[in-house]
Amino acid sequence: MERLTPVHCNGCMNEILVLGGTGKTGRRIVHRLQSAGFPVRVGSRTAPIPFDWTDRATWTPALNGIETVYVSYYPDLAVPDAPDAIGAFTTAAVNAGVSRLVLLSGRGEDEAATCERIVQGAGIDWTVLRCSWFNQNFSEDYLLDAVLAGEVALPVDDVPEPFVDAEDIADVAVAALTQDGHTGQVYELTGPRLLTFADAVAEIAAATGRPVTFVRVPPQDYAAALPPEVAELLMYLFTTVLDGRNAHVTGDVRRVLGREPRDFADYAKATADVW
Ligand SMILES: NC(=O)c1ccc[n+]([C@@H]2O[C@H](COP(=O)([O-])OP(=O)(O)OC[C@H]3O[C@@H](n4cnc5c(N)ncnc54)[C@H](OP(=O)(O)O)[C@@H]3O)[C@@H](O)[C@H]2O)c1
């Protein structure tokens, strides 16, 4: 990636607000920006200036003095409330003087597409990072416990998915946040190859040297075992979105970074000590 120079603001060095700044993509972005000397404000409920998607009174203080925002919505742009929240946040950001938004989005999701259009219509610089499933779902999120227990049971068939690494997303996000030339771009970020969930779990088993197996479960059994607050979202992601609509790789990581995206096998090897 091109060397980063914190010259974005003619010497005034306004802070970059990274929403979800303690999460899978956000904390990697915060680390990169801080290492390169950019002033960064973490946006999360536990940050020194707290930001809470469910408490709009926190938004204006978090946006005060901010020029550029990485927008990672919680829990997911696919939930029905997301467009309303993204619309209100975008308006608050424009009113606060923000001039650039970089939106983390998902592929093949109607609500995420609506959110993208809201950001694209805000009248300020925007970049959309439309991502496939993250590798780190297996090591930093809801699939970790299943991997540790040795069995990943999901309601998915042999649908291939081009899993993408949060390290690559973070590199692309930092480029879009700090460099010119990414305004008005929709980057579809994927890994370098298609894997089924069974393939991904087999890669994890190979990297750890432990038996970790994949089991397909009927959707109704999977839904019945989920906590109610995440059941609708996960069923939508695993059964509606994971129908093959996203089963193609893109060259957008290479287009932005000038290098290949990280392969799932390399992620699994580097992450084996977590499992
Ligand atoms: N996972 C995937 O495979 C995938 C694929 C494509 C797109 N996406 C998109 O990725 C986004 C999530 O990004 P991520 O995976 O990097 O984040 P994440 O790992 O899910 O982290 C969640 C972050 O949000 C913060 N957070 C939690 N509740 C919050 C609230 N009520 N208000 C404000 N912040 C809150 C957390 O910090 P605190 O707990 O400190 O508040 C943390 O920083 C979603 O919008 C999703 O649509 C995910």
mmCIF file of all heavy atoms in Angstrom, residues 103 105-107 116-117 120 126-131 172 182-189 250 252 255-256:
data_model
loop_
_atom_site.group_PDB
_atom_site.id
_atom_site.type_symbol
_atom_site.label_atom_id
_atom_site.label_comp_id
_atom_site.label_asym_id
_atom_site.label_seq_id
_atom_site.Cartn_x
_atom_site.Cartn_y
_atom_site.Cartn_z
ATOM 1 N N LEU A 103 -18.242 3.848 4.119
ATOM 2 C CA LEU A 103 -19.275 2.962 4.676
ATOM 3 C C LEU A 103 -18.883 1.497 4.500
ATOM 4 O O LEU A 103 -18.618 1.042 3.381
ATOM 5 C CB LEU A 103 -20.613 3.207 3.960
ATOM 6 C CG LEU A 103 -21.774 2.294 4.383
ATOM 7 C CD1 LEU A 103 -22.221 2.600 5.808
ATOM 8 C CD2 LEU A 103 -22.950 2.419 3.417
ATOM 9 N N SER A 105 -20.142 -2.084 4.182
ATOM 10 C CA SER A 105 -21.423 -2.632 3.756
ATOM 11 C C SER A 105 -21.281 -4.134 3.472
ATOM 12 O O SER A 105 -20.198 -4.694 3.561
ATOM 13 C CB SER A 105 -21.899 -1.886 2.507
ATOM 14 O OG SER A 105 -23.183 -2.318 2.118
ATOM 15 N N GLY A 106 -22.429 -4.760 3.173
ATOM 16 C CA GLY A 106 -22.438 -6.191 2.873
ATOM 17 C C GLY A 106 -22.971 -6.432 1.468
ATOM 18 O O GLY A 106 -23.681 -5.596 0.902
ATOM 19 N N ARG A 107 -22.628 -7.602 0.908
ATOM 20 C CA ARG A 107 -23.034 -7.915 -0.470
ATOM 21 C C ARG A 107 -24.381 -8.615 -0.499
ATOM 22 O O ARG A 107 -24.668 -9.474 0.325
ATOM 23 C CB ARG A 107 -22.013 -8.839 -1.116
ATOM 24 C CG ARG A 107 -20.644 -8.247 -1.285
ATOM 25 C CD ARG A 107 -19.667 -9.322 -1.723
ATOM 26 N NE ARG A 107 -19.497 -9.430 -3.155
ATOM 27 C CZ ARG A 107 -19.063 -10.523 -3.779
ATOM 28 N NH1 ARG A 107 -18.802 -11.627 -3.088
ATOM 29 N NH2 ARG A 107 -18.906 -10.542 -5.081
ATOM 30 N N GLU A 116 -26.370 2.206 1.449
ATOM 31 C CA GLU A 116 -25.357 2.731 0.524
ATOM 32 C C GLU A 116 -25.916 3.932 -0.238
ATOM 33 O O GLU A 116 -25.243 4.957 -0.393
ATOM 34 C CB GLU A 116 -24.942 1.640 -0.481
ATOM 35 C CG GLU A 116 -24.165 0.506 0.147
ATOM 36 C CD GLU A 116 -23.837 -0.589 -0.873
ATOM 37 O OE1 GLU A 116 -24.071 -0.376 -2.089
ATOM 38 O OE2 GLU A 116 -23.366 -1.660 -0.462
ATOM 39 N N ARG A 117 -27.156 3.816 -0.711
ATOM 40 C CA ARG A 117 -27.737 4.925 -1.498
ATOM 41 C C ARG A 117 -27.896 6.179 -0.635
ATOM 42 O O ARG A 117 -27.724 7.300 -1.110
ATOM 43 C CB ARG A 117 -29.085 4.497 -2.083
ATOM 44 C CG ARG A 117 -28.942 3.535 -3.269
ATOM 45 C CD ARG A 117 -30.249 3.370 -4.022
ATOM 46 N NE ARG A 117 -31.239 2.663 -3.236
ATOM 47 C CZ ARG A 117 -31.376 1.341 -3.180
ATOM 48 N NH1 ARG A 117 -30.575 0.566 -3.878
ATOM 49 N NH2 ARG A 117 -32.308 0.785 -2.433
ATOM 50 N N GLN A 120 -24.474 7.674 -0.440
ATOM 51 C CA GLN A 120 -24.083 8.184 -1.762
ATOM 52 C C GLN A 120 -24.821 9.480 -2.112
ATOM 53 O O GLN A 120 -24.332 10.280 -2.903
ATOM 54 C CB GLN A 120 -24.366 7.108 -2.827
ATOM 55 C CG GLN A 120 -23.404 5.933 -2.723
ATOM 56 C CD GLN A 120 -23.878 4.696 -3.469
ATOM 57 O OE1 GLN A 120 -25.065 4.561 -3.795
ATOM 58 N NE2 GLN A 120 -22.967 3.776 -3.724
ATOM 59 N N TRP A 126 -17.839 10.118 -0.584
ATOM 60 C CA TRP A 126 -18.178 8.808 -0.012
ATOM 61 C C TRP A 126 -17.388 7.705 -0.718
ATOM 62 O O TRP A 126 -17.007 7.840 -1.886
ATOM 63 C CB TRP A 126 -19.679 8.509 -0.118
ATOM 64 C CG TRP A 126 -20.202 8.515 -1.533
ATOM 65 C CD1 TRP A 126 -20.783 9.568 -2.178
ATOM 66 C CD2 TRP A 126 -20.145 7.441 -2.496
ATOM 67 N NE1 TRP A 126 -21.083 9.219 -3.476
ATOM 68 C CE2 TRP A 126 -20.719 7.932 -3.694
ATOM 69 C CE3 TRP A 126 -19.670 6.131 -2.462
ATOM 70 C CZ2 TRP A 126 -20.828 7.140 -4.836
ATOM 71 C CZ3 TRP A 126 -19.774 5.336 -3.608
ATOM 72 C CH2 TRP A 126 -20.362 5.848 -4.775
ATOM 73 N N THR A 127 -17.162 6.636 0.019
ATOM 74 C CA THR A 127 -16.641 5.379 -0.532
ATOM 75 C C THR A 127 -17.407 4.255 0.142
ATOM 76 O O THR A 127 -17.655 4.317 1.356
ATOM 77 C CB THR A 127 -15.131 5.206 -0.239
ATOM 78 O OG1 THR A 127 -14.433 6.366 -0.667
ATOM 79 C CG2 THR A 127 -14.571 3.982 -0.946
ATOM 80 N N VAL A 128 -17.810 3.260 -0.623
ATOM 81 C CA VAL A 128 -18.497 2.090 -0.062
ATOM 82 C C VAL A 128 -17.570 0.887 -0.133
ATOM 83 O O VAL A 128 -17.004 0.595 -1.195
ATOM 84 C CB VAL A 128 -19.807 1.787 -0.835
ATOM 85 C CG1 VAL A 128 -20.384 0.435 -0.420
ATOM 86 C CG2 VAL A 128 -20.829 2.898 -0.613
ATOM 87 N N LEU A 129 -17.415 0.198 1.008
ATOM 88 C CA LEU A 129 -16.663 -1.060 1.069
ATOM 89 C C LEU A 129 -17.689 -2.179 1.235
ATOM 90 O O LEU A 129 -18.180 -2.432 2.339
ATOM 91 C CB LEU A 129 -15.681 -1.050 2.240
ATOM 92 C CG LEU A 129 -14.800 0.199 2.385
ATOM 93 C CD1 LEU A 129 -13.822 0.031 3.541
ATOM 94 C CD2 LEU A 129 -14.064 0.515 1.088
ATOM 95 N N ARG A 130 -18.059 -2.805 0.124
ATOM 96 C CA ARG A 130 -19.120 -3.835 0.135
ATOM 97 C C ARG A 130 -18.430 -5.192 0.242
ATOM 98 O O ARG A 130 -17.837 -5.675 -0.724
ATOM 99 C CB ARG A 130 -19.937 -3.705 -1.151
ATOM 100 C CG ARG A 130 -21.202 -4.526 -1.152
ATOM 101 C CD ARG A 130 -21.867 -4.448 -2.506
ATOM 102 N NE ARG A 130 -22.440 -3.162 -2.810
ATOM 103 C CZ ARG A 130 -22.653 -2.716 -4.061
ATOM 104 N NH1 ARG A 130 -22.323 -3.459 -5.099
ATOM 105 N NH2 ARG A 130 -23.203 -1.532 -4.257
ATOM 106 N N CYS A 131 -18.522 -5.775 1.420
ATOM 107 C CA CYS A 131 -17.657 -6.915 1.754
ATOM 108 C C CYS A 131 -18.391 -8.243 1.767
ATOM 109 O O CYS A 131 -19.561 -8.320 2.133
ATOM 110 C CB CYS A 131 -17.054 -6.706 3.146
ATOM 111 S SG CYS A 131 -16.042 -5.233 3.256
ATOM 112 N N VAL A 172 -7.813 -1.332 2.961
ATOM 113 C CA VAL A 172 -8.592 -0.574 1.971
ATOM 114 C C VAL A 172 -9.282 0.614 2.643
ATOM 115 O O VAL A 172 -9.313 1.725 2.104
ATOM 116 C CB VAL A 172 -9.624 -1.493 1.276
ATOM 117 C CG1 VAL A 172 -10.544 -0.661 0.379
ATOM 118 C CG2 VAL A 172 -8.925 -2.572 0.469
ATOM 119 N N HIS A 182 -10.421 7.781 -4.047
ATOM 120 C CA HIS A 182 -11.367 6.720 -3.719
ATOM 121 C C HIS A 182 -12.810 7.240 -3.605
ATOM 122 O O HIS A 182 -13.727 6.482 -3.348
ATOM 123 C CB HIS A 182 -10.960 6.031 -2.411
ATOM 124 C CG HIS A 182 -9.570 5.476 -2.466
ATOM 125 N ND1 HIS A 182 -9.246 4.343 -3.186
ATOM 126 C CD2 HIS A 182 -8.408 5.934 -1.933
ATOM 127 C CE1 HIS A 182 -7.945 4.122 -3.082
ATOM 128 N NE2 HIS A 182 -7.416 5.067 -2.334
ATOM 129 N N THR A 183 -12.962 8.551 -3.792
ATOM 130 C CA THR A 183 -14.294 9.142 -3.686
ATOM 131 C C THR A 183 -15.194 8.629 -4.808
ATOM 132 O O THR A 183 -14.777 8.550 -5.958
ATOM 133 C CB THR A 183 -14.178 10.677 -3.769
ATOM 134 O OG1 THR A 183 -13.429 11.110 -2.644
ATOM 135 C CG2 THR A 183 -15.537 11.335 -3.751
ATOM 136 N N GLY A 184 -16.439 8.276 -4.429
ATOM 137 C CA GLY A 184 -17.405 7.820 -5.429
ATOM 138 C C GLY A 184 -17.176 6.388 -5.882
ATOM 139 O O GLY A 184 -17.758 5.952 -6.877
ATOM 140 N N GLN A 185 -16.358 5.627 -5.156
ATOM 141 C CA GLN A 185 -16.057 4.244 -5.533
ATOM 142 C C GLN A 185 -16.832 3.262 -4.652
ATOM 143 O O GLN A 185 -16.938 3.455 -3.438
ATOM 144 C CB GLN A 185 -14.566 3.943 -5.370
ATOM 145 C CG GLN A 185 -13.655 4.772 -6.255
ATOM 146 C CD GLN A 185 -13.799 4.426 -7.730
ATOM 147 O OE1 GLN A 185 -13.966 3.260 -8.094
ATOM 148 N NE2 GLN A 185 -13.778 5.441 -8.567
ATOM 149 N N VAL A 186 -17.387 2.223 -5.287
ATOM 150 C CA VAL A 186 -17.928 1.076 -4.548
ATOM 151 C C VAL A 186 -16.934 -0.055 -4.738
ATOM 152 O O VAL A 186 -16.760 -0.552 -5.856
ATOM 153 C CB VAL A 186 -19.314 0.650 -5.070
ATOM 154 C CG1 VAL A 186 -19.788 -0.606 -4.337
ATOM 155 C CG2 VAL A 186 -20.325 1.778 -4.925
ATOM 156 N N TYR A 187 -16.252 -0.433 -3.668
ATOM 157 C CA TYR A 187 -15.304 -1.542 -3.733
ATOM 158 C C TYR A 187 -15.975 -2.797 -3.199
ATOM 159 O O TYR A 187 -16.471 -2.810 -2.069
ATOM 160 C CB TYR A 187 -14.049 -1.229 -2.910
ATOM 161 C CG TYR A 187 -13.232 -0.078 -3.440
ATOM 162 C CD1 TYR A 187 -12.854 0.973 -2.623
ATOM 163 C CD2 TYR A 187 -12.822 -0.050 -4.777
ATOM 164 C CE1 TYR A 187 -12.090 2.032 -3.104
ATOM 165 C CE2 TYR A 187 -12.058 1.001 -5.275
ATOM 166 C CZ TYR A 187 -11.697 2.037 -4.433
ATOM 167 O OH TYR A 187 -10.947 3.090 -4.925
ATOM 168 N N GLU A 188 -16.008 -3.834 -4.030
ATOM 169 C CA GLU A 188 -16.543 -5.135 -3.584
ATOM 170 C C GLU A 188 -15.350 -5.957 -3.125
ATOM 171 O O GLU A 188 -14.553 -6.422 -3.943
ATOM 172 C CB GLU A 188 -17.264 -5.850 -4.733
ATOM 173 C CG GLU A 188 -18.582 -5.224 -5.046
ATOM 174 C CD GLU A 188 -19.689 -6.248 -5.301
ATOM 175 O OE1 GLU A 188 -19.585 -7.409 -4.846
ATOM 176 O OE2 GLU A 188 -20.653 -5.862 -5.946
ATOM 177 N N LEU A 189 -15.235 -6.123 -1.827
ATOM 178 C CA LEU A 189 -14.030 -6.733 -1.260
ATOM 179 C C LEU A 189 -14.271 -8.206 -0.962
ATOM 180 O O LEU A 189 -15.148 -8.564 -0.165
ATOM 181 C CB LEU A 189 -13.612 -5.983 0.003
ATOM 182 C CG LEU A 189 -13.372 -4.478 -0.197
ATOM 183 C CD1 LEU A 189 -12.929 -3.836 1.112
ATOM 184 C CD2 LEU A 189 -12.352 -4.214 -1.299
ATOM 185 N N THR A 250 -13.827 -10.885 -6.667
ATOM 186 C CA THR A 250 -13.540 -9.660 -7.410
ATOM 187 C C THR A 250 -12.051 -9.350 -7.286
ATOM 188 O O THR A 250 -11.351 -9.936 -6.456
ATOM 189 C CB THR A 250 -14.317 -8.451 -6.838
ATOM 190 O OG1 THR A 250 -13.701 -8.060 -5.595
ATOM 191 C CG2 THR A 250 -15.790 -8.780 -6.623
ATOM 192 N N ASP A 252 -11.028 -6.283 -6.436
ATOM 193 C CA ASP A 252 -10.991 -4.924 -5.885
ATOM 194 C C ASP A 252 -9.946 -4.723 -4.791
ATOM 195 O O ASP A 252 -9.432 -3.615 -4.637
ATOM 196 C CB ASP A 252 -12.382 -4.518 -5.385
ATOM 197 C CG ASP A 252 -13.293 -4.117 -6.543
ATOM 198 O OD1 ASP A 252 -12.855 -4.217 -7.706
ATOM 199 O OD2 ASP A 252 -14.444 -3.712 -6.298
ATOM 200 N N ARG A 255 -7.012 -4.061 -6.804
ATOM 201 C CA ARG A 255 -7.162 -2.757 -7.491
ATOM 202 C C ARG A 255 -6.777 -1.605 -6.562
ATOM 203 O O ARG A 255 -6.136 -0.651 -6.976
ATOM 204 C CB ARG A 255 -8.625 -2.615 -7.948
ATOM 205 C CG ARG A 255 -8.936 -1.342 -8.692
ATOM 206 C CD ARG A 255 -10.117 -1.538 -9.631
ATOM 207 N NE ARG A 255 -11.398 -1.642 -8.976
ATOM 208 C CZ ARG A 255 -12.249 -0.640 -8.825
ATOM 209 N NH1 ARG A 255 -11.942 0.566 -9.253
ATOM 210 N NH2 ARG A 255 -13.416 -0.835 -8.230
ATOM 211 N N VAL A 256 -7.157 -1.708 -5.281
ATOM 212 C CA VAL A 256 -6.871 -0.611 -4.352
ATOM 213 C C VAL A 256 -5.467 -0.727 -3.773
ATOM 214 O O VAL A 256 -4.754 0.273 -3.665
ATOM 215 C CB VAL A 256 -7.896 -0.602 -3.190
ATOM 216 C CG1 VAL A 256 -7.566 0.519 -2.201
ATOM 217 C CG2 VAL A 256 -9.311 -0.437 -3.727
#
